[in-house]
Amino acid sequence: MSISASAVAAFTSAYGEEPAGLWAAPGRVNLIGEHTDYNDGFVLPFALPQRTVAAVGPSPDGTFAVCSTLAPEPVTFGITEPGEVTGWGAYVAGVVWALREAGFEPPAVRIAIDSEVPLGSGLSSSAALESSVLTALIDLGGLDVPLERRPAIAQRAENLYVGAPTGILDQSASIRCEAGKALFLDCRSYEIEQIPFDLAAAGLAILVINSNAPHQHVDGEYGARRKSCEESAAILGVTALRDVGVDDLPGALDRLGDEVLRKRTRHIVTENQRVLDTVALLRAGQVREIGPLLTASHASMRDDFEITVDQVDVAVSTALAAGAYGARMTGGGFGGCVLALIDAARADETAAAVAAAYAERGFTAPTSWVAVAGPGATKL
Ligand code: ADP
Ligand code: MG
């Protein structure tokens, strides 16, 4: 059964009628630009073919109801403030709250969710959930919310209602990505540019390898990285590390006495430049040539930002040994996924090599698939 069909089935079984419509929003991978979003920097995500589907219909009694094939309990709520709905339902109640906060009146609805986006693997199932619900509420309510305002509304739901301090990357990707394109996003101005990303035409593919490594200490480590970046920016007298260019880096590093701050700063500054370089190459149609930038990004995350774990390092080195043009961890770190730029014909071979390397080390088996850049949130 497709996820659309199972979302409809979940809706009819929960609420005893057909939904008014279906809305879908994708998970994402970030091609390059990690932890740069909250430094006012650059990111370059593309939308995954895996999506979250929301089957939605009007509520008969003015309350909201939501159930998910991936959650044991349905959730109901009315007009709420942050803290009143907790757990997975907070992502949905948060979107309703954030829309109202932004001055819009979403209609009361009943929702059934199904998803192909793995939860908690760094592929942004949370933004896919928020974006599918947000798009449904906007369409069903006939709300005049311009596309460019939508990511920030979904982000406020996650930051202020759920309480997860994420940047604007995930929601922008899930809402604004286009098929066959990577989304070049300036996280300071929120300006976007759709960058051609047609791998098949170049005989290439991106293999996504989910390390399936258990996430550990993610929240604490994420908070610590943000704090280091803010501290460094304060010492350097800039608004954000985005304001330090690669040419200024040696001088900036001299002024940061602390070795940890130096490493964190070096990652952010060089990573922003790698995003710009990647965009320039893609604009010029030089897709294969981005490989070394991906690999350099991984080394920077491993050695300077210190957010990788053995499983992702092994996936990267194994993919490279199997002939990948470049490979890197994608997502916030401490587990999650790796992406490898490969010849399209070598996908199975590369996936098998990584699986064998994991088996040899006794790691939980990885899950791999070829990801083609898909569309952003939409009514189906
Ligand atoms: P990621 O966004 O990387 O997948 P997060 O921790 O940010 O990881 O978000 C995962 C959380 O989002 C889940 O624990 C759950 O609360 C919620 N979530 C996402 N998708 C769904 C879904 N389809 N059904 C229920 N809850 C979901
Ligand atoms: Mg998330």
Side-chain angles (χ1 to χ4, degrees):
M1 192 165 23
S2 72
I3 53 162
S4 299
S6 64
V8 171
F11 189 97
T12 43
S13 115
Y15 310 121
E17 62 177 23
E18 294 284 313
L22 294 172
W23 285 262
R28 59 99 190 98
V29 283
N30 193 21
L31 186 58
I32 194 161
E34 223 61 74
H35 287 260
T36 44
D37 59 347
Y38 57 81
N39 286 289
D40 283 4
F42 306 109
V43 293
L44 190 62
F46 67 92
L48 287 172
Q50 287 98 329
R51 303 198 282 186
T52 294
V53 172
V56 188
S59 160
D61 60 6
T63 62
F64 291 81
V66 52
C67 60
S68 166
T69 54
L70 300 178
E73 296 294 332
V75 178
T76 56
F77 57 92
I79 298 302
T80 64
E81 290 297 319
E84 288 182 47
V85 177
T86 55
W88 76 276
Y91 293 88
V92 179
V95 167
V96 172
W97 171 81
L99 264 173
R100 289 175 57 87
E101 258 238 326
F104 301 99
E105 193 53 58
V109 292
R110 302 194 292 199
I111 306 173
I113 302 283
D114 193 18
S115 182
E116 302 160 325
V117 186
L119 269 54
S121 294
L123 300 173
S124 207
S125 69
S126 59
L129 175 57
E130 291 150 8
S131 304
S132 61
V133 169
L134 178 68
T135 310
L137 289 170
I138 289 170
D139 285 358
L140 277 175
L143 308 181
D144 185 20
V145 189
L147 208 51
E148 58 271 21
R149 282 192 67 186
R150 297 180 187 188
I153 291 173
Q155 185 199 11
R156 284 177 72 78
E158 184 145 351
N159 289 171
L160 301 174
Y161 202 110
V162 177
T166 60
I168 192 77
L169 163 63
D170 297 349
Q171 294 82 6
S172 297
S174 190
I175 291 169
R176 306 210 64 187
C177 278
E178 293 179 5
K181 305 280 168 53
L183 182 80
F184 177 36
L185 170 66
D186 179 333
C187 297
R188 171 169 281 168
S189 67
Y190 292 1
E191 258 175 64
I192 64 161
E193 184 183 337
Q194 304 287 348
I195 306 296
F197 191 52
D198 186 357
L199 294 166
L204 299 171
I206 290 280
L207 184 71
V208 179
I209 303 153
N210 187 343
S211 71
N212 293 325
H215 271 96
Q216 277 171 342
H217 318 300
V218 184
D219 295 347
E221 296 284 357
Y222 180 88
R225 294 305 179 284
R226 276 188 88 132
K227 196 158 163 283
S228 296
C229 291
E230 284 160 16
E231 240 178 280
S232 302
I235 293 170
L236 296 171
V238 293
T239 308
L241 289 180
R242 145 72 175 277
D243 297 307
V244 182
V246 275
D247 295 340
D248 314 326
L249 186 59
L253 295 181
D254 281 346
R255 290 169 61 197
L256 293 169
D258 182 74
E259 183 56 18
V260 170
L261 295 188
R262 289 158 58 96
K263 286 166 123 180
R264 304 301 186 251
T265 299
R266 187 162 56 211
H267 167 71
I268 298 299
V269 173
T270 58
E271 185 78 350
N272 272 326
Q273 187 59 46
R274 282 186 289 270
V275 177
L276 298 176
D277 293 345
T278 301
V279 166
L281 286 168
L282 291 177
R283 279 198 197 111
Q286 295 180 284
V287 186
R288 185 172 306 164
E289 287 75 4
I290 72 171
L293 293 166
L294 303 181
T295 306
S297 168
H298 186 78
S300 179
M301 291 190 287
R302 183 190 60 214
D303 302 335
D304 278 346
F305 222 59
E306 299 181 278
I307 53 172
T308 69
V309 294
D310 284 350
Q311 284 92 332
V312 305
D313 291 337
V314 166
V316 166
S317 57
T318 307
L320 291 171
Y325 297 107
R328 65 183 288 274
M329 182 185 78
T330 181
F334 306 99
C337 295
V338 162
L339 49 83
L341 180 67
I342 56 173
D343 281 323
R346 293 178 68 91
D348 291 344
E349 208 177 311
T350 310
V354 175
Y358 272 43
E360 210 174 280
R361 288 166 179 79
F363 297 159
T364 303
T367 320
S368 304
W369 67 92
V370 169
V372 177
T378 182
K379 186 174 194 303
L380 294 179

